[in-house]
């Protein structure tokens, strides 16, 4: 059993993560979700439903936690996501803007133990997100002379239970304490910003809709706390998952899980921490106001996943999953409301998204080359959930296909090291404004496991 000191350190880290949130945005690759949670699953293309891949099972199918040996296990992981995003207007000189957001850290912790037929524990995982950074002198700044940036991150502390009903059947469930945060430094033309307005009231509404936007050459919405740990707009809430696995014979195990749509509060900034500005051709600002921003009803989607693994021989494991991610119910529109501290009233905005449900195929294999070394490889194949015409260069979650490789090394009888690398080739889309967005990624996940 682990020492009380070890458990105290784990719970202290998990509590700190719950307060601060994950390090930066998790710019994810199946829409806003990760291609795989933990390096074992990630190295096998994200397949996770029908075999034991450690405490990361609580982020996918919690029933897989009961497939392990039952020995207390602590996983400590770190992900490094490396997106490469460039927005451009083809054929126009100077209209090329590479995103400076090229490195995002993503820590994770997981602990499980077993009592009789019941496996339980706790874990902290980044669930997903997206983000970009464009220079102040790029066309994305719309002439405002200030940088443009987005950063959206979602994380959770997960409390799983898994039960071995029989030698062949396991079931599991989780309760997830979730948080979300967002920064946004957005520049737009008056026409673009005006098309986003869905409602206004009071003196603020009059100043924006009949004043500033009629004379401005650019307009901005800004809220950011410049923190690597969280965004200026914050929300908390809950999620949950259920799952099961069944051994059907000849080394084959089937599994399935369902992640329920999240129940997050509206994300809100502190009073006076957000701003709206508009600038006329003459140079002096005609409008500048501070206030608060509320992002209304942002949620993470439901996920239905089915999969199987096949222990072909003691040294060779094959796995495959198929997932349906319910983006159409979660990402219809990004809705915001600005409430002024200097004027009466408010202004509401909507950024149409109209994401479609996404189908993801996960294929993976693991080969135990020696007693110490396991080699893994996989494919993660998906469609782009965002209609091309609506892709915003600030939120280009358009990656489709991934190739994955990984390595597991047995350090000792109780310690393992696992690593995975994911390469996502460039996916390029062109939106209705004629902006072409190219997005590719190289991601790394590392994990050390200690059994007690």
């Amino acid at each position: 059993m682990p020492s009380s000191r070890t458990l105290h350190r784990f719970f202290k880290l998990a509590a700190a993560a719950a307060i601060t949130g994950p390090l930066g945005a998790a710019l994810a690759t199946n829409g806003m979700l990760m291609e795989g949670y933990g390096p074992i699953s990630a190295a096998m293309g994200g397949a996770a439903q029908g075999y034991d891949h450690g405490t990361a099972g609580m982020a996918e199918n919690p029933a897989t936690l009961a497939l392990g040996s039952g020995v207390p296990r602590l996983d400590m992981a770190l992900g490094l996501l490396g997106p490469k995003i460039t927005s451009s207007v083809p054929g126009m000189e100077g209209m090329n803007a590479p995103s400076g957001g090229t490195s995002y850290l993503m820590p994770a912790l997981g602990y499980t133990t077993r009592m009789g037929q019941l496996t339980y524990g706790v874990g902290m995982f980044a669930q997903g997100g997206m983000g970009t950074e464009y220079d102040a002198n790029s066309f994305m700044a719309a002439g405002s002379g200030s940088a443009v940036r987005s950063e959206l991150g979602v994380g959770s502390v997960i409390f799983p239970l898994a039960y071995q009903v029989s030698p062949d059947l396991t079931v599991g469930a989780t309760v997830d304490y979730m948080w979300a945060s967002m920064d946004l430094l957005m520049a737009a033309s008056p026409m673009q910003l005006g098309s986003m307005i869905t409602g206004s009231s009071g003196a603020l509404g009059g100043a924006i809709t009949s004043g500033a936007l009629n004379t401005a050459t650019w307009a901005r919405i800004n809220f950011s706390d410049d923190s690597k740990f969280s965004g200026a707009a914050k929300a908390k809430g809950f999620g949950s998952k259920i799952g099961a696995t069944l051994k059907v014979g000849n080394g084959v195990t089937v599994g399935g899980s369902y992640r329920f749509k999240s129940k997050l509060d509206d994300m809100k900034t502190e009073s006076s921490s957000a701003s709206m500005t508009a600038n006329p051709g003459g140079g002096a600002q005609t409008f500048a106001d501070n206030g608060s921003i509320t992002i209304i009803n942002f949620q993470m989607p439901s996920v239905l996943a089915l999969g199987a693994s096949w222990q072909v021989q003691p040294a060779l494991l094959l796995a495959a999953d198929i997932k349906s991610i319910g983006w159409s119910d979660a990402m219809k529109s990004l809705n915001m409301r600005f409430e002024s501290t200097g004027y009466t009233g408010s202004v509401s905005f909507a950024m149409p998204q109209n994401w479609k449900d996404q189908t993801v195929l996960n294929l993976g294999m693991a080969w135990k080359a020696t007693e110490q070394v396991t080699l893994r490889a996989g494919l993660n194949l998906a469609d782009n959930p965002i209609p091309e015409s609506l892709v915003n260069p600030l939120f280009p979650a358009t990656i489709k296909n991934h190739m994955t490789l990984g390595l597991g090394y047995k350090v000792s009888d109780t310690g393992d090291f696992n690593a995975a690398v994911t390469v996502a080739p460039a996916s390029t889309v062109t939106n209705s404004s004629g902006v072409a967005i190219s997005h590719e990624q190289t991601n790394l996940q590392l994990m050390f496991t200690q059994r007690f």
Side-chain angles (χ1 to χ4, degrees), residues 105-118:
L105 288 174
M106 191 173 58
L109 291 167
Y111 172 78
T112 57
T113 189
R114 185 164 178 158
M115 182 175 62
Q117 305 302 102
L118 183 68

Side-chain angles (χ1 to χ4, degrees), residues 52-68:
D52 173 30
H53 59 102
T55 64
M58 68 181 74
E60 293 271 13
N61 180 358
T64 62
L65 299 176
L67 297 176

Side-chain angles (χ1 to χ4, degrees), residues 13 22 70 108 132 199 241 252 285 298 319 339 354 360 421:
L13 285 170
T132 52
K241 295 179 289 291
V252 176
Q285 287 186 338
F298 171 83
E339 295 175 279
N354 292 332
V360 182
V421 61

Side-chain angles (χ1 to χ4, degrees), residues 295-322:
I295 296 97
I296 301 168
N297 196 30
F298 171 83
Q299 303 296 339
M300 294 299 281
S302 62
V303 181
L304 175 64
L306 300 172
S309 69
W310 180 25
Q311 194 72 55
V312 181
Q313 53 183 260
L316 179 62
L317 176 71
L318 303 179
D321 292 352
I322 188 165

Side-chain angles (χ1 to χ4, degrees), residues 38-44 78 374-377 404-409 416-422 443-448:
I40 297 175
S41 170
M44 296 177 65
L78 182 66
T374 300
L375 303 177
R376 303 183 179 97
T404 65
L405 292 171
L407 169 72
Y409 183 75
D416 300 330
F417 173 79
N418 287 279
V421 61
T422 297
N443 306 329
L444 178 67
Q445 292 194 42
L446 306 172
M447 181 175 74
F448 180 75

